[in-house]
Amino acid sequence: MKDFLSQLNDSQKKPTIHKNGPIMVIAGAGSGKTRVLTYRIANLIQSGVDPFSILALTFTNKAAREMKTRIAGIVGDSNSKSIWMGTFHSIFARILRIESELLGYNTNFTIYDTQDSDRLISSIIKELRLDKELYKFKNIRNRISSLKNSLITVKSYLSNPELIQHDNDSRRPMFGKIYQSYVDRCFKASAMDFDDLLLKTNELLNRFPEVLNKYQRRFKYIHVDEYQDTNHSQYLIVKALADKNENLCVVGDDAQSIYSFRGANIENILSFKKDYPESTIYRLEQNYRSTKNIVGAANSVINHNINKLEKKVWTNNEIGDKVNISQSMTDSDEGRYVASSIFENKNNFQIENDSFAVLYRTNAQSRSIEDALRRKNIPYQVFGGLSFYQRKEIKDILAYLRLIVNPSDEESFKRIINYPSRGIGQTTLDKLTLYSNEKNITLYEAISTLNKNDLNINSGTKTKINNFLLLIESLRLLNNNSNAFELAKELIKRIKIIEMLKLDQTQESISRIENIEELINGIKDFVDGQKEIVNANGTLAEYLEDVALITEMDKKVDNSVKRVSLMTIHLSKGLEFNHVYIVGVEEDLFPSALSMTDRSDLEEERRLFYVAITRAKKKVTITYARTRYRWGKLNECEPSRFINEIDEKYIFKIAGSTEFPKFSNKSDSLRILKPKRLSKNKTLLKPITRNNKFKDLNEGDVIIHNRFGKGVVINTEGSGVDKKAEVDFESSGTKKILLVFAKYDLG
């Protein structure tokens, strides 16, 4: 046995040695909650508690493995392995296998993963001959999952007129039939999906009191990590199991409750004292991660929330740098600022790439950051998702654009011939492919002569193909007199992809729409930027060449190289980095426009901002743009109210930043009133400004261009506003730029 209690501070030691009765450990960011939970379990075993009677529930396998390893180092491997420790789903699956026959399942029942569920739902939709566009299997699966996690069975659903009406309004009146069939088919196959592991455990404990009593007697000490993230179903199971002994220890931080969209209920942690009036509350308030300025800034923000548990996080760490607040003129300038800042910090202080993280509210925001990092040749990785230009909806739109420029591009043709769905199936495509190979012509040429050839394709399908051909031909004609932005915007309008995605009403479809909007914004920014280049017109061909260079760079990523981390703030929870950039901190973006009319939603956005700040160990930089493209139109933006909520003593406004608008700080009112817009009489700076350095630029000079990165001047010609420079850029080749418009610094 090892002495480990000496490694704890007084606040950590108290809950660790507290043995009996319900306790809640409110653990501030970076306060060592995992250590407390681990050492508490080890201390119970050292004091004589049978490890088989200890239950510990986590949200990730990683957390469970880490805790078991630490415990094994104290009380031995055998004792560690005897603890019932794991994720909610893994522990409940273990119980269900033991008791499966009571519910009519085999002991070796199958657990369906997401792909299994999707395949079964797709089969049911096909068998019922339903429209696959209206009844998308992912949407149906998400709907079933949401109902199950709210403990709404098929029987409950069918007896609830409001739920049925909701699906009727969503043009899915057959949802109930699909739900019933899905549940029946799973049961017939003796299979449970992940949501059943919670639903069936609740059913087991409710229907069979003797089983509940059995596990109440077995689990004398129960521990729950990240209690603020539990949903209603998990809450009920934990409460039922702990009801007999009430030796329940929950650890969490209400200030980091950010997953309501997954069903997490912050009331579970806020109401713990009501559920267990005799409980003892402990607070871990010393932050071991961040500097004093970062901790102070985070505290000053979260203090604006009304619904919270009281705590005062503090640290003995160094004071550190103040939180930087940076204003950029446009969202693209913001990306370039972040990339330049990382570049300078790397070079000036020999900092590794993996010390930096860029956090954003929505996935779509990665585009401008990725583009800027590429220009600086800074390796990066997007966590929890694909790089912007690798996302499906972006590749779909780009395939259309490539086909418009080059009808011989068969890969692009195959990708979009039936997307969005127009009733041209794989059988038809196979016939076209066979015909084009026999005649040695392209697929596009094959459909161009469709009415003249003897292909065995019915008249209805021929009409659909001809409509597709007409669409592409009309866009090709438009391309002769339009720039890339005008053409892309018209394309999206004609294929009605946004309308199709809006029908889904899911978080995934919203994200896809945001990505398409950001693509349009990027194209508009590209077209405007082409004004710098001599003889460039911002055509679609020019844009596709630029994107081709970008996507080619994606393929050359060296996985052995340390990289800057890019991710949404939701994905950053639990992680830490030396240097954190929080971008796009503007009204309607962060906080989200969807959170403006409800206090609970707005307070969750504020908690999300708190999580973002507290990921940083040494330095935080918060950025916002004065203007941001929305569907290609440049709109004025306002700095987020969250910036104003940071106590001024913790912040440093980077030169060029303007004074922030003041918002109401009344704690007794819903702070959802939007701050006043910038005066319409104030003239905003244009995204492209005159560069006064062009007179001094000469052959051999090294420049750092905002878009193209580092380059060497090969030669110059002309003078004054007509002066041009031919520059060899490291990452984008040789370009001739008109210096009066160019945005660069001397290298």
Side-chain angles (χ1 to χ4, degrees), residues 178-236:
I178 300 172
Y179 189 10
Q180 178 75 71
S181 182
Y182 174 72
V183 169
D184 291 345
R185 295 273 283 274
C186 285
F187 184 74
K188 181 181 177 182
S190 195
M192 296 186 195
D193 61 24
F194 282 123
D195 301 309
D196 284 327
L197 299 178
L198 299 181
L199 181 67
K200 297 297 181 183
T201 301
N202 265 299
E203 181 184 343
L204 181 71
L205 300 180
N206 277 304
R207 284 180 55 195
F208 303 97
E210 69 279 10
V211 174
L212 174 59
N213 184 52
K214 171 184 174 180
Y215 288 100
Q216 285 177 336
R217 285 186 286 108
R218 170 170 290 177
F219 300 134
K220 293 183 173 62
Y221 292 89
I222 299 174
H223 302 77
V224 183
D225 191 20
E226 304 285 10
Y227 191 62
Q228 78 280 350
D229 293 336
T230 52
N231 62 27
H232 184 58
S233 184
Q234 291 161 332
Y235 163 81
L236 290 176

Side-chain angles (χ1 to χ4, degrees), residues 531-590:
K531 296 173 184 176
E532 300 180 34
I533 302 176
V534 178
N535 298 325
N537 299 304
T539 64
L540 181 56
E542 291 171 6
Y543 173 72
L544 290 175
E545 180 181 339
D546 190 68
V547 170
L549 292 172
I550 290 172
T551 52
E552 187 61 29
M553 289 171 68
D554 280 343
K555 298 175 184 176
K556 296 179 180 179
V557 171
D558 183 352
N559 290 325
S560 66
V561 174
K562 293 180 179 179
R563 290 177 280 171
V564 174
S565 298
L566 273 59
M567 69 189 79
T568 63
I569 301 169
H570 281 102
L571 285 174
S572 74
K573 185 170 172 289
L575 303 177
E576 58 182 39
F577 303 90
N578 284 336
H579 300 265
V580 170
Y581 294 82
I582 311 170
V583 301
V585 187
E586 301 147 23
E587 288 291 298
D588 293 342
L589 184 55
F590 196 13

